[in-house]
Amino acid sequence: MKQSFSDVLVKNIFAQLSQSAIRHSPSAVQMRAPVHVVYGGAHLFKANTPQKLGLLALNNLREYAPDVERFAEAFALNSEISQNVFELVTAKLETEAVEDFRIDFEDGYGFRSDAEEDADAVKSSDELAKAFQEKTISPFSGLRIKSFAPETARRAIRTLDLFLSNLLAKTGGKLPPNFVVTLPKVERETEVAVLSELLAEFEMQKNLPEKSLKLEILIETPLAIVNEKGEINLRKLVEAAGGRCVAAHFGAYDFTSAFGIVAEHQHLRHPLCDFARNWMQAALAPLGIRLSDSVTTLLPVAVHRGENLSPEQLAENRTAVWTAWREHFSNVTYSLSNGFYQSWDLHPAQLPTRYAAVYAFFAASMNSSAKRLRVFLDKATQASLTGNQFDDAASANGLLNFFARALSCGAIEESEILEKTGLSAEDVQISFAEIMQKRN
């Protein structure tokens, strides 16, 4: 039968589709992406702060879950994965407990005199430069300035200028790797555009490569989601950065407060938080923006302090810590299940939970996911050989994303991926369709 659509027409149609397609693969994961971020007041930051936090976290683990049995009990882990997760968490806290640190001039710093904030901008950038030179810096780092609201914009810009100028002066003009500037309480495109303009000007004056200074935005207000015109605002905010925006962090408590939700009912699983996260996923994930969830405010700290505590007091301390650990563990797992592979931590005692939740998330379904992926690969290969259609590539891409994320956070080694799936580390970074093209 003669075809109605000519070859020329079909060729032109495919050209149009290719040009308009959004190039995003759900398995396109950075080889290294942080699983958390710690915000710490700028007045307290030292070059060895990440290492100190790691030591505190390790001591916390050794006090309240010193062996596999108590670790498994604390986090309700089954025996199949508890040993592996315990070893991974211990090794992580010993070697690199803090992956991402934000020197904070906003909520974690408060309002101080101009002279005091000027001094802290210089002092904290001195310390970051020292950490960079002595190689004690966290793999990801940056500073959070105050918002660009009228009452704080001038202060934010001055702090940014002082911090960056002094940092570059002390590092010989070099930026630390994965360094970002965080802009809080974003509502308007203009705020992001202005920060991008300031960073561009700084790059020009300091002879830095174009767009080497990156930024991230905090989604903490309703207007960040839906602007005053009723338009979805998230993508507009990112586009206003002109290619500089690499991440968007969700601030659950500011966000719910803006709707009049009282403190007793503010929590990460409030429907309004799900609403915000869903829109962040829909609008920003296709752009490759790294998404970070909010913080757990119940802290795993002892209720009794001092020496010579009674057995009852020691038991109450363990109960308090384990209760907070379990809430944090549950929240981190919930974030992961919703595609948020990073979120905030407030306290070093949350770091054992952070890594326990992350590693357990992947360990719990590692073998079943590997088995499913092998089945998909076998079925797709058979379909290509017989001419049958294989139409479950989306599920296969989800499994590839699982292993890419697991590799990125250290839950699995490259050799284990090959052993379990038959794929290389490079394979899990591409789409299922690209894998099948390589095989064919």
Side-chain angles (χ1 to χ4, degrees):
M1 181 181 295
K2 184 179 180 181
Q3 294 180 335
S4 300
F5 302 138
S6 69
D7 291 342
V8 173
L9 175 61
V10 171
K11 183 178 180 180
N12 289 337
I13 291 295
F14 273 104
Q16 293 178 51
L17 291 173
S18 298
Q19 291 173 2
S20 64
I22 296 176
R23 298 299 180 188
H24 171 70
S25 167
S27 62
V29 181
Q30 296 176 7
M31 283 301 291
R32 183 69 198 271
V35 300
H36 76 138
V37 57
V38 178
Y39 284 81
H43 56 300
L44 301 173
F45 181 75
K46 301 291 183 183
N48 63 350
T49 291
Q51 288 69 40
K52 281 191 172 182
L53 293 178
L55 182 59
L56 290 170
L58 190 61
N59 289 338
N60 179 262
L61 179 68
R62 287 171 174 165
E63 182 171 1
Y64 293 105
D67 52 50
V68 176
E69 289 73 21
R70 276 173 283 189
F71 181 84
E73 184 182 356
F75 298 115
L77 299 178
N78 66 54
S79 58
E80 293 182 5
I81 67 171
S82 57
Q83 180 71 43
N84 180 46
V85 173
F86 179 72
E87 291 175 357
L88 286 172
V89 171
T90 303
K92 183 67 173 176
L93 296 180
E94 289 175 341
T95 58
E96 188 188 78
V98 177
E99 293 189 343
D100 194 0
F101 193 93
R102 209 63 76 248
I103 298 170
D104 193 11
F105 286 92
E106 203 222 7
D107 288 346
Y109 181 76
F111 292 94
R112 300 164 187 261
S113 69
D114 282 340
E116 191 172 1
E117 185 158 341
D118 285 353
D120 285 333
V122 173
K123 183 175 68 174
S124 60
S125 54
D126 275 343
E127 294 293 328
L128 188 65
K130 181 181 178 182
F132 176 50
Q133 292 165 337
E134 296 181 353
K135 302 188 186 313
T136 61
I137 193 170
S138 53
F140 295 78
S141 65
L143 80 154
R144 174 166 68 166
I145 57 176
K146 288 179 169 62
S147 79
F148 277 176
E151 59 272 18
T152 54
R154 187 178 297 276
R155 179 65 259 180
I157 293 170
R158 180 172 175 81
T159 297
L160 177 69
D161 192 354
L162 286 171
F163 187 100
L164 291 180
S165 297
N166 187 60
L167 177 66
L168 268 289
K170 298 297 170 60
T171 63
K174 295 180 180 179
L175 279 175
N178 303 310
F179 179 86
V180 297
V181 177
T182 306
L183 184 63
K185 296 178 175 59
V186 175
E187 293 186 339
R188 298 167 293 145
E189 298 168 64
T190 304
E191 297 167 17
V192 184
V194 164
L195 178 55
S196 182
E197 181 181 344
L198 290 169
L199 297 179
E201 175 67 18
F202 189 85
E203 288 167 348
M204 184 181 69
Q205 292 199 19
K206 303 297 182 182
N207 296 313
L208 293 174
E210 185 179 359
K211 295 183 180 177
S212 55
L213 279 166
K214 305 297 184 182
L215 65 87
E216 62 190 11
I217 57 176
L218 268 162
I219 307 303
E220 302 173 273
T221 69
L223 284 174
I225 307 290
V226 181
N227 66 21
E228 65 276 6
K229 298 179 182 179
E231 303 166 332
I232 299 301
N233 203 27
L234 290 163
R235 185 167 292 192
K236 294 175 182 292
L237 295 175
V238 168
E239 290 173 346
R244 292 182 186 275
C245 185
V246 294
H249 292 204
F250 178 50
Y253 296 92
D254 283 290
F255 189 77
T256 49
S257 292
F259 288 93
I261 307 302
V262 297
E264 185 178 351
H265 295 283
Q266 291 178 343
H267 53 83
L268 290 183
R269 303 196 192 192
H270 193 284
L272 282 169
C273 293
D274 285 333
F275 165 81
R277 284 189 292 257
N278 290 343
W279 270 115
M280 289 174 70
Q281 278 282 20
L284 302 184
L287 303 180
I289 302 299
R290 189 172 70 245
L291 303 179
S292 178
D293 208 347
S294 197
V295 67
T296 298
T297 56
L298 180 63
L299 300 182
V301 295
V303 292
H304 303 289
R305 299 185 182 183
E307 300 179 358
N308 302 317
L309 297 180
S310 68
E312 291 78 11
Q313 290 174 317
L314 292 172
E316 288 174 2
N317 281 349
R318 190 186 73 167
T319 297
V321 170
W322 280 22
T323 298
W325 269 0
R326 287 169 178 170
E327 181 171 319
H328 188 219
F329 186 98
S330 177
N331 284 340
V332 173
T333 303
Y334 187 74
S335 297
L336 292 166
S337 69
N338 283 285
F340 279 70
Y341 292 94
Q342 181 183 12
S343 49
W344 308 8
D345 289 324
L346 285 176
H347 193 278
Q350 289 182 318
L351 297 179
T353 328
R354 164 67 52 189
Y355 296 112
V358 169
Y359 296 143
F361 177 82
F362 291 104
S365 53
M366 188 75 71
N367 290 331
S368 61
S369 295
K371 183 178 179 180
R372 286 184 64 201
L373 184 55
R374 281 185 175 274
V375 169
F376 280 129
L377 290 166
D378 291 343
K379 285 185 177 179
T381 301
Q382 183 180 6
S384 65
L385 291 174
T386 62
N388 294 324
Q389 184 179 2
F390 179 80
D391 59 2
D392 209 358
S395 296
N397 279 330
L399 291 167
L400 289 171
N401 180 65
F402 173 90
F403 283 101
R405 295 284 183 182
L407 179 65
S408 173
C409 74
I412 190 173
E413 300 290 337
E414 292 186 22
S415 58
E416 292 179 277
I417 291 181
L418 182 62
E419 177 186 343
K420 290 179 180 295
T421 68
L423 297 175
S424 67
E426 291 73 23
D427 286 336
V428 298
Q429 301 295 314
I430 61 179
S431 71
F432 187 70
E434 290 172 304
I435 291 174
M436 297 316 301
Q437 287 176 357
K438 285 174 61 177
R439 291 194 166 195
N440 292 332

